[in-house]
Amino acid sequence: WSFKFLTNEMRRYQQIAAYIYTELHDVEWEYNGFLNYDRTPKQFGYDPRIINESNTLPIDAPPIQRVAPGQLVRLEIASSHFSTQHHENVSLQWVLGGVDTRGRLRQDLATGRVRIPFPHRKVAPAHTLDLKMPDEPMLCTLLVTARSEQGASIAENFVHLFVTADYPLAR
């Protein structure tokens, strides 16, 4: 998760032209690689390409944050467009889903779509997203996707929002 968060942070700034990831596999006392010590693929819990592709949607947020039920959350989403293909008429689509305290999957808690600027070879503000959190405790995931005029996915990203008034009971 730290890799996704740190890379997301770097991708938010036009001034950072490139980054190099030097530890591809874990070694004796370091555990930062893409591969385990025995060179088997590491399971991140997400596809690390979403933040490393030429196009991505950096979000100004930690990978997970605790928010109160019913709280209005504001998220700044940028576009980082460095692929060789130029894209016009790009839309930002978002879906907020979650799992409540009884394990029930709640899809489409909030959805939307809006046109965004997606300037080529630039990092630029794309959209400020205001979301009202559910009124009950749950672990939510916000997925944002930049789509072409034809509906193809160009870039995506996600953050988690832990909706609770207090930390859960120990039991």
Side-chain angles (χ1 to χ4, degrees):
W1 291 104
S2 63
F3 169 76
K4 180 184 180 298
F5 175 67
L6 293 173
T7 306
N8 179 80
E9 286 301 295
M10 288 189 291
R11 297 292 301 266
R12 291 179 46 227
Y13 300 99
Q14 180 72 34
Q15 297 86 346
I16 298 176
Y19 56 93
I20 298 172
Y21 196 74
T22 59
E23 189 175 305
L24 297 179
H25 56 81
D26 294 347
V27 292
E28 296 294 329
W29 58 88
E30 297 174 333
Y31 302 98
N32 302 321
F34 285 102
L35 302 174
N36 294 309
Y37 184 80
D38 64 358
R39 308 308 190 261
T40 56
K42 189 177 283 188
Q43 298 300 316
F44 283 89
Y46 64 92
D47 186 346
R49 291 179 295 183
I50 67 168
I51 199 66
N52 282 312
E53 291 289 343
S54 299
N55 298 326
T56 192
L57 296 168
I59 302 171
D60 186 9
I64 188 167
Q65 60 184 312
R66 186 167 65 106
V67 296
Q71 179 179 333
L72 185 65
V73 174
R74 175 168 279 188
L75 298 167
E76 302 289 336
I77 302 167
S79 66
S80 179
H81 177 22
F82 288 93
S83 67
T84 55
Q85 185 177 0
H86 181 75
H87 294 283
E88 292 184 7
N89 300 322
V90 175
S91 294
L92 178 72
Q93 179 179 342
W94 62 89
V95 176
L96 179 69
V99 178
D100 68 17
T101 57
R102 301 180 106 181
R104 292 179 297 210
L105 183 62
R106 307 282 302 277
Q107 297 176 336
D108 301 337
L109 293 168
T111 61
R113 187 180 191 113
V114 65
R115 284 241 196 222
I116 59 168
F118 206 70
H120 198 213
R121 296 196 171 98
K122 292 193 183 292
V123 176
H127 185 67
T128 301
L129 187 58
D130 290 322
L131 289 172
K132 183 180 181 297
M133 293 295 103
D135 291 324
E136 62 183 292
M138 64 177 60
L139 178 60
C140 294
T141 300
L142 172 69
L143 174 65
V144 293
T145 307
R147 296 203 178 273
S148 69
E149 200 166 27
Q150 295 76 28
S153 176
I154 300 168
E156 61 184 17
N157 202 349
F158 68 92
V159 292
H160 294 299
L161 301 149
F162 181 39
V163 180
T164 182
D166 296 308
Y167 284 101
L169 298 173
R171 199 182 135 139

PDB file of all heavy atoms in Angstrom, residues 105-127:
ATOM      1  N   LEU A 105     -22.508  -6.601   0.693  1.00  0.00           N
ATOM      2  CA  LEU A 105     -21.920  -5.763  -0.331  1.00  0.00           C
ATOM      3  C   LEU A 105     -22.931  -4.715  -0.772  1.00  0.00           C
ATOM      4  O   LEU A 105     -24.067  -5.047  -1.115  1.00  0.00           O
ATOM      5  CB  LEU A 105     -21.488  -6.615  -1.528  1.00  0.00           C
ATOM      6  CG  LEU A 105     -20.777  -5.906  -2.661  1.00  0.00           C
ATOM      7  CD1 LEU A 105     -19.469  -5.289  -2.167  1.00  0.00           C
ATOM      8  CD2 LEU A 105     -20.503  -6.889  -3.787  1.00  0.00           C
ATOM      9  N   ARG A 106     -22.531  -3.464  -0.723  1.00  0.00           N
ATOM     10  CA  ARG A 106     -23.400  -2.350  -1.118  1.00  0.00           C
ATOM     11  C   ARG A 106     -22.765  -1.654  -2.321  1.00  0.00           C
ATOM     12  O   ARG A 106     -21.799  -0.915  -2.164  1.00  0.00           O
ATOM     13  CB  ARG A 106     -23.546  -1.378   0.042  1.00  0.00           C
ATOM     14  CG  ARG A 106     -24.009  -2.015   1.357  1.00  0.00           C
ATOM     15  CD  ARG A 106     -25.488  -2.294   1.388  1.00  0.00           C
ATOM     16  NE  ARG A 106     -26.261  -1.098   1.170  1.00  0.00           N
ATOM     17  CZ  ARG A 106     -26.572  -0.218   2.111  1.00  0.00           C
ATOM     18  NH1 ARG A 106     -26.176  -0.398   3.350  1.00  0.00           N
ATOM     19  NH2 ARG A 106     -27.277   0.847   1.815  1.00  0.00           N
ATOM     20  N   GLN A 107     -23.272  -1.936  -3.489  1.00  0.00           N
ATOM     21  CA  GLN A 107     -22.731  -1.337  -4.703  1.00  0.00           C
ATOM     22  C   GLN A 107     -23.497  -0.076  -5.049  1.00  0.00           C
ATOM     23  O   GLN A 107     -24.638   0.101  -4.671  1.00  0.00           O
ATOM     24  CB  GLN A 107     -22.803  -2.331  -5.857  1.00  0.00           C
ATOM     25  CG  GLN A 107     -21.957  -3.555  -5.595  1.00  0.00           C
ATOM     26  CD  GLN A 107     -22.105  -4.594  -6.694  1.00  0.00           C
ATOM     27  OE1 GLN A 107     -23.110  -4.634  -7.393  1.00  0.00           O
ATOM     28  NE2 GLN A 107     -21.108  -5.446  -6.818  1.00  0.00           N
ATOM     29  N   ASP A 108     -22.840   0.794  -5.749  1.00  0.00           N
ATOM     30  CA  ASP A 108     -23.460   2.021  -6.258  1.00  0.00           C
ATOM     31  C   ASP A 108     -24.045   2.905  -5.157  1.00  0.00           C
ATOM     32  O   ASP A 108     -25.154   3.417  -5.277  1.00  0.00           O
ATOM     33  CB  ASP A 108     -24.534   1.702  -7.307  1.00  0.00           C
ATOM     34  CG  ASP A 108     -23.981   0.938  -8.493  1.00  0.00           C
ATOM     35  OD1 ASP A 108     -22.759   1.024  -8.725  1.00  0.00           O
ATOM     36  OD2 ASP A 108     -24.760   0.261  -9.175  1.00  0.00           O
ATOM     37  N   LEU A 109     -23.283   3.100  -4.069  1.00  0.00           N
ATOM     38  CA  LEU A 109     -23.711   4.041  -3.030  1.00  0.00           C
ATOM     39  C   LEU A 109     -23.727   5.457  -3.590  1.00  0.00           C
ATOM     40  O   LEU A 109     -24.530   6.287  -3.177  1.00  0.00           O
ATOM     41  CB  LEU A 109     -22.779   3.962  -1.827  1.00  0.00           C
ATOM     42  CG  LEU A 109     -22.811   2.655  -1.039  1.00  0.00           C
ATOM     43  CD1 LEU A 109     -21.652   2.586  -0.061  1.00  0.00           C
ATOM     44  CD2 LEU A 109     -24.139   2.497  -0.321  1.00  0.00           C
ATOM     45  N   ALA A 110     -22.816   5.724  -4.502  1.00  0.00           N
ATOM     46  CA  ALA A 110     -22.780   7.002  -5.216  1.00  0.00           C
ATOM     47  C   ALA A 110     -22.120   6.741  -6.566  1.00  0.00           C
ATOM     48  O   ALA A 110     -21.134   6.013  -6.645  1.00  0.00           O
ATOM     49  CB  ALA A 110     -21.991   8.044  -4.433  1.00  0.00           C
ATOM     50  N   THR A 111     -22.682   7.303  -7.599  1.00  0.00           N
ATOM     51  CA  THR A 111     -22.114   7.175  -8.937  1.00  0.00           C
ATOM     52  C   THR A 111     -22.220   8.520  -9.630  1.00  0.00           C
ATOM     53  O   THR A 111     -23.033   9.369  -9.249  1.00  0.00           O
ATOM     54  CB  THR A 111     -22.848   6.126  -9.800  1.00  0.00           C
ATOM     55  OG1 THR A 111     -24.205   6.527  -9.954  1.00  0.00           O
ATOM     56  CG2 THR A 111     -22.789   4.747  -9.168  1.00  0.00           C
ATOM     57  N   GLY A 112     -21.408   8.704 -10.626  1.00  0.00           N
ATOM     58  CA  GLY A 112     -21.499   9.934 -11.395  1.00  0.00           C
ATOM     59  C   GLY A 112     -20.553   9.924 -12.568  1.00  0.00           C
ATOM     60  O   GLY A 112     -19.697   9.043 -12.703  1.00  0.00           O
ATOM     61  N   ARG A 113     -20.736  10.935 -13.393  1.00  0.00           N
ATOM     62  CA  ARG A 113     -19.909  11.068 -14.592  1.00  0.00           C
ATOM     63  C   ARG A 113     -19.868  12.542 -14.961  1.00  0.00           C
ATOM     64  O   ARG A 113     -20.898  13.223 -14.903  1.00  0.00           O
ATOM     65  CB  ARG A 113     -20.513  10.241 -15.710  1.00  0.00           C
ATOM     66  CG  ARG A 113     -19.678  10.164 -16.945  1.00  0.00           C
ATOM     67  CD  ARG A 113     -20.405   9.306 -17.992  1.00  0.00           C
ATOM     68  NE  ARG A 113     -19.515   9.018 -19.063  1.00  0.00           N
ATOM     69  CZ  ARG A 113     -19.047   7.814 -19.359  1.00  0.00           C
ATOM     70  NH1 ARG A 113     -19.423   6.774 -18.653  1.00  0.00           N
ATOM     71  NH2 ARG A 113     -18.231   7.643 -20.364  1.00  0.00           N
ATOM     72  N   VAL A 114     -18.673  13.016 -15.332  1.00  0.00           N
ATOM     73  CA  VAL A 114     -18.512  14.412 -15.728  1.00  0.00           C
ATOM     74  C   VAL A 114     -17.354  14.495 -16.718  1.00  0.00           C
ATOM     75  O   VAL A 114     -16.415  13.708 -16.649  1.00  0.00           O
ATOM     76  CB  VAL A 114     -18.272  15.304 -14.483  1.00  0.00           C
ATOM     77  CG1 VAL A 114     -16.966  14.981 -13.799  1.00  0.00           C
ATOM     78  CG2 VAL A 114     -18.347  16.769 -14.828  1.00  0.00           C
ATOM     79  N   ARG A 115     -17.436  15.415 -17.646  1.00  0.00           N
ATOM     80  CA  ARG A 115     -16.314  15.652 -18.576  1.00  0.00           C
ATOM     81  C   ARG A 115     -15.170  16.290 -17.803  1.00  0.00           C
ATOM     82  O   ARG A 115     -15.401  17.133 -16.930  1.00  0.00           O
ATOM     83  CB  ARG A 115     -16.723  16.605 -19.685  1.00  0.00           C
ATOM     84  CG  ARG A 115     -17.573  15.954 -20.688  1.00  0.00           C
ATOM     85  CD  ARG A 115     -16.887  15.997 -22.013  1.00  0.00           C
ATOM     86  NE  ARG A 115     -17.926  15.698 -22.986  1.00  0.00           N
ATOM     87  CZ  ARG A 115     -17.749  14.918 -24.001  1.00  0.00           C
ATOM     88  NH1 ARG A 115     -16.589  14.411 -24.228  1.00  0.00           N
ATOM     89  NH2 ARG A 115     -18.724  14.670 -24.802  1.00  0.00           N
ATOM     90  N   ILE A 116     -13.949  15.896 -18.155  1.00  0.00           N
ATOM     91  CA  ILE A 116     -12.780  16.455 -17.477  1.00  0.00           C
ATOM     92  C   ILE A 116     -11.730  16.874 -18.499  1.00  0.00           C
ATOM     93  O   ILE A 116     -11.662  16.314 -19.593  1.00  0.00           O
ATOM     94  CB  ILE A 116     -12.141  15.450 -16.483  1.00  0.00           C
ATOM     95  CG1 ILE A 116     -11.701  14.176 -17.203  1.00  0.00           C
ATOM     96  CG2 ILE A 116     -13.067  15.172 -15.323  1.00  0.00           C
ATOM     97  CD1 ILE A 116     -10.802  13.266 -16.374  1.00  0.00           C
ATOM     98  N   PRO A 117     -10.890  17.833 -18.123  1.00  0.00           N
ATOM     99  CA  PRO A 117      -9.730  18.127 -18.965  1.00  0.00           C
ATOM    100  C   PRO A 117      -8.727  16.974 -18.826  1.00  0.00           C
ATOM    101  O   PRO A 117      -8.555  16.420 -17.741  1.00  0.00           O
ATOM    102  CB  PRO A 117      -9.174  19.425 -18.384  1.00  0.00           C
ATOM    103  CG  PRO A 117      -9.732  19.527 -17.015  1.00  0.00           C
ATOM    104  CD  PRO A 117     -11.004  18.726 -16.986  1.00  0.00           C
ATOM    105  N   PHE A 118      -8.119  16.601 -19.912  1.00  0.00           N
ATOM    106  CA  PHE A 118      -7.139  15.511 -19.908  1.00  0.00           C
ATOM    107  C   PHE A 118      -6.001  15.911 -20.842  1.00  0.00           C
ATOM    108  O   PHE A 118      -5.754  15.268 -21.865  1.00  0.00           O
ATOM    109  CB  PHE A 118      -7.821  14.215 -20.368  1.00  0.00           C
ATOM    110  CG  PHE A 118      -7.169  12.957 -19.852  1.00  0.00           C
ATOM    111  CD1 PHE A 118      -7.237  12.604 -18.519  1.00  0.00           C
ATOM    112  CD2 PHE A 118      -6.498  12.110 -20.725  1.00  0.00           C
ATOM    113  CE1 PHE A 118      -6.656  11.440 -18.049  1.00  0.00           C
ATOM    114  CE2 PHE A 118      -5.912  10.948 -20.268  1.00  0.00           C
ATOM    115  CZ  PHE A 118      -5.990  10.610 -18.933  1.00  0.00           C
ATOM    116  N   PRO A 119      -5.305  17.024 -20.490  1.00  0.00           N
ATOM    117  CA  PRO A 119      -4.280  17.551 -21.397  1.00  0.00           C
ATOM    118  C   PRO A 119      -3.110  16.582 -21.570  1.00  0.00           C
ATOM    119  O   PRO A 119      -2.656  15.963 -20.606  1.00  0.00           O
ATOM    120  CB  PRO A 119      -3.846  18.850 -20.738  1.00  0.00           C
ATOM    121  CG  PRO A 119      -4.244  18.731 -19.314  1.00  0.00           C
ATOM    122  CD  PRO A 119      -5.420  17.802 -19.268  1.00  0.00           C
ATOM    123  N   HIS A 120      -2.652  16.485 -22.803  1.00  0.00           N
ATOM    124  CA  HIS A 120      -1.588  15.554 -23.163  1.00  0.00           C
ATOM    125  C   HIS A 120      -0.240  16.015 -22.605  1.00  0.00           C
ATOM    126  O   HIS A 120       0.094  17.177 -22.669  1.00  0.00           O
ATOM    127  CB  HIS A 120      -1.515  15.438 -24.688  1.00  0.00           C
ATOM    128  CG  HIS A 120      -0.797  14.236 -25.159  1.00  0.00           C
ATOM    129  ND1 HIS A 120      -0.067  14.237 -26.312  1.00  0.00           N
ATOM    130  CD2 HIS A 120      -0.683  12.984 -24.652  1.00  0.00           C
ATOM    131  CE1 HIS A 120       0.462  13.041 -26.504  1.00  0.00           C
ATOM    132  NE2 HIS A 120       0.098  12.264 -25.509  1.00  0.00           N
ATOM    133  N   ARG A 121       0.486  15.067 -22.024  1.00  0.00           N
ATOM    134  CA  ARG A 121       1.820  15.276 -21.446  1.00  0.00           C
ATOM    135  C   ARG A 121       1.814  16.328 -20.336  1.00  0.00           C
ATOM    136  O   ARG A 121       2.719  17.136 -20.214  1.00  0.00           O
ATOM    137  CB  ARG A 121       2.824  15.620 -22.537  1.00  0.00           C
ATOM    138  CG  ARG A 121       2.999  14.488 -23.519  1.00  0.00           C
ATOM    139  CD  ARG A 121       4.231  14.624 -24.374  1.00  0.00           C
ATOM    140  NE  ARG A 121       4.417  13.400 -25.115  1.00  0.00           N
ATOM    141  CZ  ARG A 121       4.026  13.226 -26.371  1.00  0.00           C
ATOM    142  NH1 ARG A 121       3.435  14.200 -27.010  1.00  0.00           N
ATOM    143  NH2 ARG A 121       4.232  12.088 -26.984  1.00  0.00           N
ATOM    144  N   LYS A 122       0.765  16.258 -19.536  1.00  0.00           N
ATOM    145  CA  LYS A 122       0.638  17.183 -18.402  1.00  0.00           C
ATOM    146  C   LYS A 122      -0.037  16.490 -17.225  1.00  0.00           C
ATOM    147  O   LYS A 122      -0.736  15.511 -17.386  1.00  0.00           O
ATOM    148  CB  LYS A 122      -0.203  18.395 -18.789  1.00  0.00           C
ATOM    149  CG  LYS A 122       0.428  19.313 -19.800  1.00  0.00           C
ATOM    150  CD  LYS A 122      -0.337  20.608 -19.843  1.00  0.00           C
ATOM    151  CE  LYS A 122       0.189  21.538 -20.888  1.00  0.00           C
ATOM    152  NZ  LYS A 122       1.476  22.077 -20.665  1.00  0.00           N
ATOM    153  N   VAL A 123       0.206  17.069 -16.062  1.00  0.00           N
ATOM    154  CA  VAL A 123      -0.572  16.753 -14.869  1.00  0.00           C
ATOM    155  C   VAL A 123      -1.444  17.975 -14.630  1.00  0.00           C
ATOM    156  O   VAL A 123      -0.947  19.098 -14.599  1.00  0.00           O
ATOM    157  CB  VAL A 123       0.330  16.488 -13.642  1.00  0.00           C
ATOM    158  CG1 VAL A 123      -0.511  16.272 -12.400  1.00  0.00           C
ATOM    159  CG2 VAL A 123       1.254  15.312 -13.896  1.00  0.00           C
ATOM    160  N   ALA A 124      -2.746  17.754 -14.512  1.00  0.00           N
ATOM    161  CA  ALA A 124      -3.664  18.882 -14.384  1.00  0.00           C
ATOM    162  C   ALA A 124      -4.808  18.503 -13.456  1.00  0.00           C
ATOM    163  O   ALA A 124      -5.170  17.332 -13.348  1.00  0.00           O
ATOM    164  CB  ALA A 124      -4.213  19.262 -15.762  1.00  0.00           C
ATOM    165  N   PRO A 125      -5.397  19.501 -12.781  1.00  0.00           N
ATOM    166  CA  PRO A 125      -6.604  19.213 -12.001  1.00  0.00           C
ATOM    167  C   PRO A 125      -7.697  18.692 -12.931  1.00  0.00           C
ATOM    168  O   PRO A 125      -7.906  19.233 -14.015  1.00  0.00           O
ATOM    169  CB  PRO A 125      -6.987  20.574 -11.414  1.00  0.00           C
ATOM    170  CG  PRO A 125      -5.756  21.409 -11.502  1.00  0.00           C
ATOM    171  CD  PRO A 125      -4.997  20.898 -12.694  1.00  0.00           C
ATOM    172  N   ALA A 126      -8.361  17.630 -12.524  1.00  0.00           N
ATOM    173  CA  ALA A 126      -9.418  17.045 -13.345  1.00  0.00           C
ATOM    174  C   ALA A 126     -10.798  17.371 -12.781  1.00  0.00           C
ATOM    175  O   ALA A 126     -11.668  17.866 -13.499  1.00  0.00           O
ATOM    176  CB  ALA A 126      -9.240  15.535 -13.465  1.00  0.00           C
ATOM    177  N   HIS A 127     -10.990  17.098 -11.470  1.00  0.00           N
ATOM    178  CA  HIS A 127     -12.319  17.294 -10.894  1.00  0.00           C
ATOM    179  C   HIS A 127     -12.220  17.259  -9.368  1.00  0.00           C
ATOM    180  O   HIS A 127     -11.430  16.504  -8.810  1.00  0.00           O
ATOM    181  CB  HIS A 127     -13.260  16.193 -11.374  1.00  0.00           C
ATOM    182  CG  HIS A 127     -14.679  16.355 -10.956  1.00  0.00           C
ATOM    183  ND1 HIS A 127     -15.480  17.375 -11.406  1.00  0.00           N
ATOM    184  CD2 HIS A 127     -15.451  15.628 -10.111  1.00  0.00           C
ATOM    185  CE1 HIS A 127     -16.678  17.267 -10.867  1.00  0.00           C
ATOM    186  NE2 HIS A 127     -16.685  16.216 -10.076  1.00  0.00           N
TER     187      HIS A 127
END
